[in-house]
Amino acid sequence: MRWEVGMEVPEGSGNSQVSLVAPGFVQLVGGDSPCSGSVEIYDRNQWKAVCHSHFGAKAAEVVCRELQCGTALSVHGAAQLGEGAGPVWDRELQCVGNESALSFCPTETPKDKACTHSNGTHVTCTRFRLVNGSTACEGRVEVEVLGTWGTLCASRWDLSDAHVLCRHLGCGFAESIPGGGHFGRGTGPVWRDSFHCDGTEAHLGQCLVTALGASPCSQKNAAAVICSGPAHHMSVRLVGGGSRCDGRVEVFQHGTWGRVLDEQWDMQEASVGCRQLQCGEAEAAYTPVRAERGRGPVGLRGVRCAGHEADLSHCNTSLPESMPTEGIMEDVGVVCQGSRRVRLGDGAGLCAGRGEIYYQGRWGTICDDAWDLADAAVVCHQLGCGGALEAAGSARFGEGSGQIWLDGVNCSGAEAALWDCPAKAWGQHNCRHKEDAGVICSEFMALRLENSDGCSGRLQVFYNGIWGSVCSNSMTDETASLVCKQLSCGDRGYLKTTSRYAKLTRTSWLDHVECGKSNSSFWQCPSAPWHLQSCDDRREEAHITCNGKSEPSRQMSSPLGVVKCREGTRRGFDFPELDPVAAGGTKVTSVLRATHVHQQQSTAGLPSASGGCRGNSRQGLRGDHAGLSGVPPPGTVSCCSVNQGPCRAEHLGPSCSAMWEECMGTCCCPDPGSMGMRRGQLCSLLHDP
């Protein structure tokens, strides 16, 4: 799926803001995405602002179509044109709405007075829509890609993604995500891309998107959502928090959002607000500190609830004009149970890192006392990261800061969320941050060129605990160049293959990887589904040579960026400031990471690239049952026996190398088709030849 259209701004435009430009006539500038912003038209060798009174909804539809941004979501005045901000276009558009480009719309001299800088035009386009629902705020999710609308596959669709879409469409929050073709089947293509949102993004374009290795998807497995609907009188929202279920309270009245002020706000009122937002029980009612107080209009002054009401409109409330009789009224806030979140911080990607929980409006860590694979499995499941490969302890991914929320976690592995597991009371522990727990999940992915210099060699992908080759079928130099850019190995790459036939017995994960010009990451490129033996001839393996070289410190990269590997340490995981990992690492590796929220996170904690391994992971694993594709389902991993004997040569599979001796001579790799790891360590994670 392609998400961007890249056009050059005409020379001399003087526009340094993020913008999307159609060939020669229109652009959107200053928005929060390439498909939103103030409208500017290129006329007589300069960009000119367009007055809101000279630009209507039909013109907005044409602009969005021309910019390949889908359909118009909103068009409104943008009072941001100060005196001297640049010229203003002196024409008025008369679009019918079906034009392919704005240059085809008739124009005329404005009938009203000449436009000034007092009011510009802001357009927000969207590539997303809901179809076949009874309202505009429910239906099957469709996405526009290069002018073609298609159904979004539901394979990774979850409530966090749905919340972001509902908010973006002005439809409140997601109440449910029905499956099974609830809103019928589409007729166009099915996009297999997956969104990885945490729920706080303004639109889906801010979420990490992956398509690599996605399985085929049919119209009957379409993503769908039922949103709460547009804001109405006495709708409630929470702002300024870390989720949609915590923050300062605002109510919607007379077409605008207003603050709620009170001097006696408590749990009864907070409970009603949480119930109205479908955010579970209230955990706290509070008064925001001065820096977090609102500055907009006041919606209500004083709210008195019994606690059982369905929403705040049923409580005794006062209008903003009503003056308090006593006390000092201040902004009010609430923390609902639905605000709880889990993430893996300071790791090598979305699916590996230090375990962290968002509770009571603050992020905190987890103590490693009794931390094991069952606990880690719950975290991986919550994050959509498959099964657990390792439960790490002793601050493997660096020491966190602030609160330690959980200690003595004892999950069965079947719980829906980590906080459903038995544990000590919130915040009660006898730990320090040097005991922070970590997790490595089976969906952790990485990319490298297997060679001593890291910028040339056999292309490999790390997935489900194993390094595997990438087949060269359908691959172009464009894909090779994207790999080089992602590994910080220059901006051009050249694909090479060997002419010598040899049967390929090692893992080859992917085939038919086809990256386009608009793909900004290897992980966004469509390909055949994951399979252990995607190609069986060594002549099919992709080898890439980049035009740049890595720094002497080496690097490792993932969808979160490039990870530098330090030399001269025997530890499998290292944690210098933001310069991570890899004992004696010599590979350049790219790991799958989020790009909008965690971009500044340390990438410490990658498994060793070529050195020994050390740590206090509780158990090694083996995947005993491969699925139809040859990939063991993440939920079928089992523990290796503690008494597993030393590996014999015939037992060493593709995920076990001769380095097994440094893991105390034990392993669980009975055959090349297993997903085995050595007991106690994932020594070979980044080392297979």
Side-chain angles (χ1 to χ4, degrees):
M1 184 183 293
R2 297 182 179 180
W3 297 101
E4 298 178 16
V5 178
M7 303 290 183
E8 293 295 328
V9 177
E11 186 176 354
S13 68
N15 193 337
S16 61
Q17 295 174 292
V18 173
S19 62
L20 190 62
V21 186
F25 197 66
V26 63
Q27 69 177 7
L28 299 176
V29 300
D32 62 356
S33 79
C35 290
S36 70
S38 296
V39 181
E40 290 187 352
I41 285 178
Y42 194 66
D43 178 45
R44 299 189 184 98
N45 297 319
Q46 59 184 160
W47 287 106
K48 298 179 180 180
V50 179
C51 275
H52 183 49
S53 59
H54 301 167
F55 190 94
K58 292 180 180 179
E61 286 292 341
V62 177
V63 168
C64 294
R65 184 180 303 118
E66 182 173 0
L67 296 178
Q68 296 184 350
C69 284
T71 186
L73 182 63
S74 67
V75 53
H76 56 80
Q80 49 185 297
L81 304 177
E83 289 298 330
V88 177
W89 199 48
D90 60 359
R91 304 290 291 173
E92 182 174 324
L93 288 161
Q94 298 292 324
C95 299
V96 175
N98 59 1
E99 294 88 350
S100 61
L102 205 63
S103 57
F104 295 140
C105 293
T107 65
E108 63 180 33
T109 302
K111 298 180 179 62
D112 55 4
K113 61 182 180 180
C115 185
T116 67
H117 288 277
S118 60
N119 198 4
T121 302
H122 188 284
V123 170
T124 298
C125 307
T126 181
R127 293 187 177 106
F128 304 90
R129 68 185 183 188
L130 301 178
V131 299
N132 275 15
S134 58
T135 73
C137 290
E138 66 177 34
R140 185 178 68 249
V141 181
E142 289 194 345
V143 187
E144 189 262 4
V145 180
L146 297 179
T148 300
W149 287 94
T151 298
L152 181 66
C153 184
S155 60
R156 296 289 184 91
W157 184 249
D158 60 21
L159 271 175
S160 293
D161 304 330
H163 284 315
V164 174
L165 179 58
C166 290
R167 183 187 306 119
H168 170 61
L169 295 177
C171 287
F173 57 87
E175 293 185 335
S176 63
I177 48 174
H182 186 83
F183 292 103
R185 300 185 183 185
T187 57
V190 179
W191 308 124
R192 295 183 295 161
D193 302 61
S194 297
F195 293 91
H196 306 268
C197 308
D198 63 23
T200 63
E201 297 87 353
H203 51 79
L204 289 174
Q206 292 181 347
C207 305
L208 175 68
V209 182
T210 59
L212 195 72
S215 299
C217 190
S218 69
Q219 287 284 356
K220 65 181 181 181
N221 190 28
V225 61
I226 297 176
C227 306
S228 61
H232 54 81
H233 183 69
M234 289 300 289
S235 286
V236 172
R237 71 178 183 185
L238 303 177
V239 299
S243 74
R244 78 170 192 91
C245 291
D246 71 297
R248 182 171 52 78
V249 183
E250 291 189 348
V251 297
F252 191 76
Q253 291 191 108
H254 310 299
T256 187
W257 289 98
R259 300 152 57 201
V260 175
L261 306 183
D262 203 316
E263 81 278 4
Q264 295 181 353
W265 180 261
D266 58 23
M267 290 297 288
Q268 281 100 326
E269 289 76 37
S271 295
V272 176
C274 291
R275 186 177 302 118
Q276 184 172 349
L277 289 168
Q278 299 182 26
C279 283
E281 297 297 318
E283 292 186 334
Y286 68 96
T287 299
V289 297
R290 182 177 299 275
E292 297 174 0
R293 294 175 189 170
R295 297 186 179 183
V298 175
L300 291 175
R301 292 183 184 271
V303 181
R304 293 293 173 268
C305 303
H308 57 74
E309 295 86 351
D311 57 64
L312 289 179
S313 67
H314 296 150
C315 299
N316 185 11
T317 61
S318 301
L319 296 176
E321 292 79 14
S322 304
M323 298 302 293
T325 56
E326 59 182 13
I328 299 176
M329 292 209 171
E330 298 180 298
D331 288 282
V332 298
V334 62
V335 177
C336 309
Q337 194 174 65
S339 65
R340 297 178 186 177
R341 291 164 49 202
V342 65
R343 72 182 182 190
L344 297 177
D346 282 355
L350 291 173
C351 296
R354 181 178 60 247
E356 296 180 347
I357 292 180
Y358 187 73
Y359 176 70
Q360 292 281 355
R362 291 181 293 166
W363 285 101
T365 62
I366 306 161
C367 183
D368 66 3
D369 291 347
W371 185 250
D372 60 20
L373 280 172
D375 308 325
V378 174
V379 174
C380 293
H381 175 74
Q382 266 189 272
L383 294 173
C385 285
L389 291 180
E390 184 174 5
S394 300
R396 174 82 63 85
F397 295 93
E399 296 183 12
S401 60
Q403 184 68 49
I404 298 176
W405 279 129
L406 291 179
D407 188 13
V409 179
N410 185 23
C411 303
S412 69
E415 293 84 356
L418 191 63
W419 42 85
D420 295 332
C421 303
K424 293 182 180 180
W426 288 98
Q428 292 189 10
H429 62 87
N430 58 354
C431 307
R432 298 169 62 184
H433 281 295
K434 66 180 181 180
E435 301 169 79
D436 285 342
V439 177
I440 300 175
C441 305
S442 61
E443 289 291 305
F444 163 70
M445 294 189 290
L447 179 72
R448 76 179 180 188
L449 292 175
E450 201 272 327
N451 202 342
S452 60
D453 68 355
C455 287
S456 65
R458 179 160 49 102
L459 178 62
Q460 292 184 308
V461 172
F462 183 79
Y463 177 73
N464 218 349
I466 290 182
W467 279 110
S469 301
V470 178
C471 310
S472 60
N473 297 308
S474 303
M475 191 176 291
T476 64
D477 283 346
E478 195 166 65
T479 299
S481 296
L482 181 60
V483 169
C484 294
K485 291 176 185 176
Q486 192 158 321
L487 294 173
S488 295
C489 286
D491 58 1
R492 293 296 303 273
Y494 305 94
L495 183 64
K496 296 184 177 181
T497 56
T498 179
S499 59
R500 185 183 62 185
Y501 170 78
K503 184 173 178 58
L504 187 63
T505 57
R506 58 194 173 209
T507 300
S508 54
W509 272 128
L510 292 168
D511 199 2
H512 298 288
V513 180
E514 301 179 45
C515 302
K517 289 183 179 180
S518 60
N519 293 125
S520 59
S521 164
F522 184 77
W523 316 107
Q524 296 174 0
C525 302
S527 73
W530 296 103
H531 194 286
L532 277 167
Q533 294 295 328
S534 292
C535 45
D536 55 13
D537 184 342
R538 287 199 177 190
R539 291 177 297 182
E540 296 181 74
E541 287 186 308
H543 293 254
I544 293 175
T545 299
C546 302
N547 67 348
K549 298 294 182 181
S550 63
E551 298 176 3
S553 61
R554 309 292 190 249
Q555 302 173 43
M556 314 188 85
S557 124
S558 112
L560 273 181
V562 175
V563 179
K564 295 182 180 179
C565 303
R566 302 194 316 152
E567 299 184 9
T569 172
R570 297 296 297 157
R571 194 176 174 198
F573 299 83
D574 204 2
F575 312 103
E577 305 86 64
L578 298 178
D579 183 39
V581 240
T586 58
K587 306 294 187 291
V588 176
T589 309
S590 171
V591 248
L592 176 59
R593 306 185 60 162
T595 57
H596 65 290
V597 174
H598 307 297
Q599 201 160 19
Q600 301 304 318
Q601 288 186 341
S602 160
T603 43
L606 275 174
S608 171
S610 64
C613 49
R614 199 185 90 187
N616 76 341
S617 56
R618 307 304 188 208
Q619 297 162 299
L621 336 170
R622 181 177 66 217
D624 294 319
H625 307 287
L628 294 177
S629 67
V631 181
T636 63
V637 294
S638 62
C639 303
C640 293
S641 168
V642 173
N643 297 318
Q644 180 80 39
C647 290
R648 298 192 299 274
E650 61 266 28
H651 288 165
L652 294 176
S655 65
C656 279
S657 70
M659 295 291 295
W660 67 270
E661 297 174 355
E662 296 190 23
C663 293
M664 300 179 290
T666 56
C667 74
C668 49
C669 299
D671 61 73
S674 79
M675 305 298 292
M677 304 297 158
R678 297 170 187 76
R679 177 175 64 84
Q681 301 296 327
L682 301 184
C683 290
S684 63
L685 283 186
L686 296 177
H687 184 67
D688 278 333

